[in-house]
């Protein structure tokens, strides 16, 4: 960062012990348990993803743990792993199977993983996944925003550990301690001012304190205010949303959209998620959503027509439009807890079942010749009724349509296992020669079909009946 | 339910789909003209227009079947505009298909493009060029619910066939015939109920028939049971939670469940809500039904414009919460249970 004559305070006062890490008790407990599971042998997850606002102590905790437990820390920053080869090199040097006894365990720390660009650093994410799969040492990833879509695969293989934003009181306490150690006289008001500006970011608070204190030997609020100009910092998503939703004037809300690196289509999801937290009055809620809805329409027009000129209007509607919709003073300034966009979480959680449904829809399309959307809302519901109410019949349908076991279970929670068993029984019966009763050739083809080839089901399966029902 | 020896079953909507033109019991005028094409082994580009479940796709398949025989699928490229990812994918597929060999005796192959009215005007322009480029070896059959959404230049290059809504007696007699083939007991009232709830959509009618049959027999009570079950209970819960309980966040969770777990698109949810608001089980003053319908229309319009499903439907829920609040404030007599 800056030129170092002597140690910057952020390094000098970095936690040496686990206990020095301010607050974050829950995260510490989780992390320690995970490291212990590594030291004892096989952990449940080989990697941990520590996430939270900047300056909340994520990296510090990892360093403190390494120091206390006597583990070697192999650290990489986002700038180090722009290429997959870099990661592979690290992986090779560190993760070799320790053939000698008492090989020192290491912690592999990948900092700022959300700084990896999904397009420019193509392959880097895959290499990290690969590293996690093969590693013999605990891998710790650190990120500010873990819900970035490009990190989806990483999230699934990592133990997620959340760091909370530090409160102003906690920040102030650390600042006062440092003042005492540096033997600085400092005014309470100045500490308060610095802590306020830091918004929970301890690192930036310590930097500010150093900037004021070092040259002058004292920290007064007059000095602090004159030296520390408003830093044009990037706000994290929570702060962005909060500032938008409680803005009193249009300019306040609009200004925020310049202070975030959230793309407009991400920002709108964050606002969407949190509107009901702040707008609890039905009138406000309705107005706010009308604005958001318009912003969304502008966004869709931008995508459709490529007219990026429209972006300002989309931004206006989602920031100022929403902010000024919330008018009921009772809720406007009430402090509420904000949340991550649930949709992003849900989509990754439900991926498997959605995949089954897509496969099922595609399979049925080949039978019914209509769009997958029609299948989803006009065919699958009826199939579910049959599968829930008549397992014997359902089994024969499953056989005829060549449904996979997971599709059958998707269609009926209640009878899924039973139907799967019935299908298996039917398959075995159909392998035996069946007495021909009705429509000889159909029977023959039917049998050939059911004994068999799971894969080529779609196109061929209806052939036998086609022949039969032709007049 | 069918002969015992037949182990495998199919969906009846597929099993009893007419395979050739002469099997089609409806749309006589259309069928007669299509049979001329088969006889002459020549045809222009075709546009089949009409409401869902009136036999458009079936007619296209039957036409191809009659032209090329049992293996007609070798000579027909089936595309669904709402499933294909953009005109480029369609272009590539058509290009490749045009290069494959021609059938014996017929000088063209068929490109069947379903739900063509879901394509944007720009994509349709590109489609028009495709239709011209490969006209020497292919003919297009476009299928649309709303022909007015097909651009003029395409309409003028196609012979347009209008499919009309099926008549009640035709649907009922077809259902009855299926019941007799499947050895399922049914009564007329039940079959008529199916027609009423399916609105003349044959595919939907047959789906309901099959599900009702799986419950035992096809009577009115089973038919309504099926229709009730087929509507996700979440749709009703959505209305109840937003309108009567005024709980926006909970309603939005239900919405997410519908879209993510059930895989309904925003438009699907709007349509299902629309089905629901006019049902007698949904007790609100009549003018509120109309007000909701009006807003549903607005939301669907925005969705068709390409807006985000979840955000637009959340706007709808916010509207319902507000409507519900106003309703509770104005109604003095506590005739229906509603939370305050």
């Amino acid at each position: 960062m800056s030129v170092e004559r002597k140690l910057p305070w952020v390094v000098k006062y970095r936690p040496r012990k686990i206990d020095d890490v301010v607050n974050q008790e829950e995260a510490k407990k989780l992390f320690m348990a995970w490291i212990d599971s590594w030291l004892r042998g096989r952990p449940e997850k080989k990697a941990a993803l520590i996430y939270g606002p900047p300056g909340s102590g994520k990296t510090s905790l990892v360093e403190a743990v390494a120091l206390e437990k006597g583990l070697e820390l192999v650290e990489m920053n986002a700038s180090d792993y722009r290429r997959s080869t870099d990661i592979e090199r690290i992986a090779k040097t560190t993760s070799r199977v320790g053939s000698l006894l008492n090989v020192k365990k290491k912690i592999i720390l990948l900092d700022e993983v959300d700084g990896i660009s999904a397009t420019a650093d193509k392959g880097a994410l895959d290499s990290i996944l690969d590293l996690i799969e093969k590693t013999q040492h605990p891998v710790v990833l650190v990120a500010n925003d873990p819900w970035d879509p490009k990190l989806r695969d990483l999230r699934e293989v990592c133990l997620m550990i959340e760091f909370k934003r530090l409160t102003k009181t906690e920040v102030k306490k650390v600042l006062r301690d440092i003042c005492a150690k540096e033997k600085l006289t400092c005014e309470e008001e100045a500490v308060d001012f610095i802590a306020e500006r830091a918004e929970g970011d301890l690192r930036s608070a310590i930097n500010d304190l150093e900037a004021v204190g070092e040259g002058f030997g004292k920290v007064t609020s007059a000095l602090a205010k004159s030296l520390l100009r408003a830093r044009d910092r990037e706000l994290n998503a929570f702060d962005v949303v909060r500032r938008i939703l409680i803005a009193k004037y249009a300019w306040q809300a609009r200004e925020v959209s310049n202070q975030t690196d959230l793309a407009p289509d991400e920002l709108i999801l964050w606002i969407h998620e949190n509107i009901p937290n702040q707008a609890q009055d039905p009138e406000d809620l309705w107005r706010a959503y009308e604005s958001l809805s318009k912003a969304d329409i502008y966004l869709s027009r931008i995508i459709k027509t490529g007219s990026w000129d429209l972006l300002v209007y989309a931004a206006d509607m989602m920031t100022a439009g929403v902010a000024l919709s919330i008018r009921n003073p009772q809720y406007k300034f009430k402090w509420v807890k904000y949340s991550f966009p649930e949709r992003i979480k849900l989509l990754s959680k439900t991926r498997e079942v959605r995949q089954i449904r897509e496969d099922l829809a595609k399979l049925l399309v080949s039978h019914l010749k209509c769009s997958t959307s029609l299948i989803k809302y006009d065919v699958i519901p009826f199939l579910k009724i049959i599968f829930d109410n008549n397992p014997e019949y359902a089994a024969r349908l499953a056989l005829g349509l060549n449904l996979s076991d997971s599709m059958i279970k998707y269609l009926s929670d209640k009878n899924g296992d039973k139907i799967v068993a019935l299908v298996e029984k039917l398959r075995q019966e159909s392998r035996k020669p069946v007495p021909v009763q009705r429509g000889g050739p159909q029977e023959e083809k039917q049998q050939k079909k059911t004994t068999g080839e799971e894969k080529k089901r779609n196109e061929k399966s209806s052939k036998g009946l086609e022949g039969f029902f032709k007049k | 339910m069918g002969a015992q020896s037949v182990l495998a079953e199919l969906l009846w909507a597929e099993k009893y789909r007419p395979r050739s033109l002469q099997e089609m019991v409806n749309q006589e005028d259309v069928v007669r003209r299509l049979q001329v094409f088969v006889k002459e082994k020549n045809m222009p580009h075709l546009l089949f227009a009409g409401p869902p479940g009136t036999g458009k796709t079936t007619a296209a398949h039957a036409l191809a079947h009659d032209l090329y025989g049992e293996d007609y699928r070798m000579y027909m490229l089936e595309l669904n505009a709402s499933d294909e990812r953009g005109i480029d994918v369609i272009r590539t597929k058509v290009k490749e298909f045009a290069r494959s060999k021609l059938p014996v005796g017929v000088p063209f192959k068929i490109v069947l493009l379903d739900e063509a009215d879901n394509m944007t005007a720009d994509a349709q322009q590109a489609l028009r060029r495709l239709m011209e480029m490969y006209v020497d070896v292919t003919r297009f059959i476009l299928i649309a619910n709303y022909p007015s959404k097909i651009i003029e230049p395409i309409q003028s290059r196609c012979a347009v066939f209008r499919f009309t809504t099926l008549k009640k007696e035709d649907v009922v007699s077809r259902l009855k015939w299926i019941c007799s083939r499947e050895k399922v007991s049914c009564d007329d009232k039940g079959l008529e109920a199916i027609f009423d709830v399916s609105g003349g959509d044959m595919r939907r009618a047959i789906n309901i028939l099959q599900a009702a049959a799986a419950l035992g027999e096809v009577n009115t009570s089973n038919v309504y049971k099926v229709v009730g079950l087929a509507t996700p209970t979440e749709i009703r819960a959505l209305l109840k939670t937003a309108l009567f309980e005024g709980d926006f966040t909970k309603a939005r969770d239900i919405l997410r469940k519908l879209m993510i777990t059930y895989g309904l698109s925003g438009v699907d949810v709007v349509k299902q809500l629309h089905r629901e608001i006019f049902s007698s089980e949904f007790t609100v003053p009549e003018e509120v039904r109309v007000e909701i319908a009006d807003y549903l229309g607005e939301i669907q319009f925005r969705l068709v414009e390409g807006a985000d499903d979840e955000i637009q439907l959340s706007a709808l829920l916010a509207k319902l919460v507000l409507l519900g609040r106003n309703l509770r404030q104005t109604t003095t007599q506590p005739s229906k249970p509603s939370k305050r």
Side-chain angles (χ1 to χ4, degrees), chain B residues 187-225:
Chain B
D187 61 30
D188 285 355
K189 284 243 169 58
L191 298 181
E192 280 169 24
I194 292 180
F195 175 83
D196 292 340
V197 294
S198 63
D201 177 338
M202 184 65 102
R203 172 171 40 219
R204 192 169 157 78
I206 297 177
N207 285 338
I208 296 171
L209 180 76
Q210 189 170 14
L215 296 184
E217 59 179 311
V218 184
N219 54 34
T220 331
S221 96
N222 275 345
V223 168
Y224 285 117
K225 195 173 165 202

Side-chain angles (χ1 to χ4, degrees), chain A residues 272-273 290 293 296 304 343 350 357 367-369 371-372 377-378 390 393 396 400 446 462 465, chain B residues 7-10 14 17 61 73 83 115 204 210 214 252 256 260-261 295 302 308 310 312 314:
Chain A
H272 163 53
E273 183 68 37
E290 272 301 285
S293 161
D296 174 41
K304 244 180 167 170
R343 175 151 111 197
T350 57
R357 188 181 56 225
H367 285 277
L368 289 179
K369 308 179 179 75
S371 70
T372 48
Y377 82 90
D378 230 19
N390 193 338
Y393 185 53
R396 289 193 292 152
Q446 195 77 30
S462 62
L465 290 166
Chain B
L7 296 175
E9 257 300 344
L10 283 174
E14 173 189 10
R17 177 195 290 277
H61 278 266
R73 281 185 154 176
D83 285 348
E115 303 196 15
R204 192 169 157 78
Q210 189 170 14
R252 192 175 61 180
R256 283 175 171 148
I260 296 176
T261 316
Y295 200 66
R302 293 178 193 173
D308 181 82
E310 194 181 301
Q312 296 302 334
S314 296

Side-chain angles (χ1 to χ4, degrees), chain A residues 268 272-273 276 281-283 285-286 289-290 292-293 296-297 300-301 304 342-343 346-347 350 354 357 364-374 376-379 381-386 389-390 393 396-397 399-401 410 426 429-430 434-435 437-438 443 446 450 459 462-463 465-466 468-471, chain B residues 1 3 5-17 19 23 57 61 65 70-73 78 80 82-83 114-115 181 201 203-204 207-208 210-211 214-215 226 229-230 248-249 252 256 259-264 268 271-272 275 295 302 304-308 310-312 314-315 318-319 321-322 325:
Chain A
I268 200 172
H272 163 53
E273 183 68 37
D281 177 78
E283 293 266 357
L285 184 69
W286 148 246
Y289 261 109
E290 272 301 285
L292 197 69
S293 161
D296 174 41
I297 291 170
S300 73
R301 285 183 188 155
K304 244 180 167 170
E342 193 63 26
R343 175 151 111 197
L346 263 179
L347 281 175
T350 57
R354 282 183 296 125
R357 188 181 56 225
L364 293 175
V365 161
S366 71
H367 285 277
L368 289 179
K369 308 179 179 75
C370 51
S371 70
T372 48
S373 105
L374 196 85
K376 278 185 228 163
Y377 82 90
D378 230 19
V379 177
F382 294 116
L383 275 177
K384 282 188 164 169
I385 296 169
I386 296 175
N389 290 288
N390 193 338
Y393 185 53
R396 289 193 292 152
L397 262 176
L399 193 62
L401 297 170
Y410 169 77
L426 286 175
E429 273 172 41
S430 71
V434 182
Q437 284 193 359
R438 174 182 108 158
E443 204 60 48
Q446 195 77 30
T450 49
E459 287 296 294
S462 62
K463 278 281 166 58
L465 290 166
E466 255 170 45
F468 181 66
F469 285 102
K470 205 188 153 220
K471 278 182 191 164
Chain B
M1 192 138 315
S5 63
V6 182
L7 296 175
E9 257 300 344
L10 283 174
L11 290 171
W12 293 350
E14 173 189 10
K15 193 167 166 184
Y16 295 106
R17 177 195 290 277
R19 308 291 157 185
E23 277 180 64
T57 315
H61 278 266
H65 171 273
E70 280 304 316
D71 289 331
Y72 71 88
R73 281 185 154 176
E78 293 172 71
N80 192 305
S82 59
D83 285 348
D114 209 343
E115 303 196 15
R181 298 293 294 263
D201 177 338
R203 172 171 40 219
R204 192 169 157 78
N207 285 338
I208 296 171
Q210 189 170 14
L215 296 184
V226 163
L229 289 172
F248 175 83
T249 314
R252 192 175 61 180
R256 283 175 171 148
M259 297 204 297
I260 296 176
T261 316
Y262 286 80
L264 296 186
D268 296 340
K271 283 182 178 165
Q272 298 243 27
R275 269 186 205 161
Y295 200 66
R302 293 178 193 173
V304 173
E305 287 262 280
D308 181 82
E310 194 181 301
I311 290 173
Q312 296 302 334
S314 296
K319 173 83 171 179
V321 169
L322 182 61
R325 209 258 314 250

Side-chain angles (χ1 to χ4, degrees), chain A residues 220-461:
Chain A
T220 66
S221 84
L223 265 176
K225 279 177 189 163
S226 70
L227 283 171
L228 306 174
R229 288 220 323 279
R231 187 183 289 149
D232 196 15
R233 57 166 39 227
E234 252 171 25
L235 298 167
N236 83 359
F238 287 103
D239 297 328
V240 168
V241 179
R242 187 179 309 280
R243 288 192 182 196
I244 289 171
L245 292 184
I246 68 170
K248 249 195 280 186
Y249 306 101
W251 64 264
Q252 284 179 323
R254 292 180 73 224
E255 192 183 60
V256 180
S257 59
N258 300 326
Q259 287 173 285
T260 173
D261 60 347
L262 288 176
D265 55 337
E266 292 171 313
L267 181 60
I268 200 172
L269 284 186
W270 277 86
I271 299 172
H272 163 53
E273 183 68 37
N274 289 295
I275 283 178
N277 290 336
Q278 201 78 54
Q280 294 175 2
D281 177 78
E283 293 266 357
D284 288 351
L285 184 69
W286 148 246
R287 267 194 301 267
Y289 261 109
E290 272 301 285
S291 291
L292 197 69
S293 161
K294 282 184 189 141
D296 174 41
I297 291 170
Y298 284 125
L299 287 182
S300 73
R301 285 183 188 155
I302 292 169
I303 292 166
K304 244 180 167 170
T305 61
S307 334
W308 286 89
D309 291 2
L310 293 174
L311 190 58
V312 289
Y313 307 109
D316 284 351
M317 291 315 291
M318 76 174 86
T319 58
V322 170
L324 299 184
S325 298
I326 306 175
R327 294 175 198 165
N328 188 334
Q330 194 192 337
Y331 300 114
K332 174 103 203 180
F333 305 113
K334 193 177 153 197
W335 199 91
V336 288
K337 192 175 180 320
Y338 285 176
S339 2
F340 277 112
E342 193 63 26
R343 175 151 111 197
I344 300 173
K345 292 196 218 168
L346 263 179
L347 281 175
S348 81
K349 244 192 270 175
T350 57
R351 182 159 59 168
E352 197 181 340
V353 63
R354 282 183 296 125
Q355 190 55 50
I356 294 171
R357 188 181 56 225
E358 287 304 317
D359 292 346
L360 176 62
K362 269 187 209 131
L363 174 63
L364 293 175
V365 161
S366 71
H367 285 277
L368 289 179
K369 308 179 179 75
C370 51
S371 70
T372 48
S373 105
L374 196 85
I375 294 274
K376 278 185 228 163
Y377 82 90
D378 230 19
V379 177
I380 290 182
F382 294 116
L383 275 177
K384 282 188 164 169
I385 296 169
I386 296 175
F387 277 60
D388 272 341
N389 290 288
N390 193 338
E392 285 78 21
Y393 185 53
R396 289 193 292 152
L397 262 176
L399 193 62
L401 297 170
N402 234 327
L403 304 182
S404 70
D405 290 357
S406 54
M407 289 176 189
I408 293 172
K409 283 173 191 160
Y410 169 77
L411 285 170
S412 179
D413 269 345
K414 199 170 77 181
N415 296 331
D417 294 327
K418 190 173 169 193
I419 298 172
V420 168
L422 282 167
V423 171
E424 190 43 42
K425 217 176 106 201
L426 286 175
R427 280 220 173 92
Q428 281 170 9
E429 273 172 41
S430 71
R431 277 184 203 118
K432 291 181 225 151
V434 182
V436 177
Q437 284 193 359
R438 174 182 108 158
Q442 181 207 0
E443 204 60 48
E444 218 172 69
K445 288 198 179 175
Q446 195 77 30
Q447 216 179 304
K448 196 170 111 201
K449 185 183 75 196
T450 49
T451 45
E453 346 108 288
E454 288 271 345
K455 296 281 179 254
K456 288 183 179 175
R457 55 198 175 201
N458 304 8
E459 287 296 294
K460 301 277 176 190
S461 64

Side-chain angles (χ1 to χ4, degrees), chain A residues 48-83:
Chain A
L49 174 52
I50 301 184
Y51 63 96
S56 54
K58 301 182 292 297
T59 315
S60 297
L61 175 66
V62 182
E63 288 172 350
V65 168
L67 213 61
E68 244 179 62
K69 296 261 170 188
L71 304 169
E72 186 189 335
L73 192 66
V74 182
E75 211 171 334
M76 287 183 91
N77 261 309
S79 47
D80 301 331
Y81 39 79
R82 305 230 71 100
R83 286 187 314 269

Side-chain angles (χ1 to χ4, degrees), chain A residues 14-25 27-33 35-36 39 57 60-71 107 163:
Chain A
R14 188 152 251 196
R16 299 273 178 272
K17 295 199 296 284
I18 299 167
D19 284 346
D20 291 346
V21 178
V22 183
N23 216 325
Q24 316 293 6
E25 295 313 319
K28 278 190 217 167
K29 216 185 288 167
L30 252 174
F31 185 68
M32 294 308 298
I35 284 286
D36 286 341
L39 296 177
S60 297
L61 175 66
V62 182
E63 288 172 350
V65 168
L67 213 61
E68 244 179 62
K69 296 261 170 188
L71 304 169
I107 295 182
F163 265 57

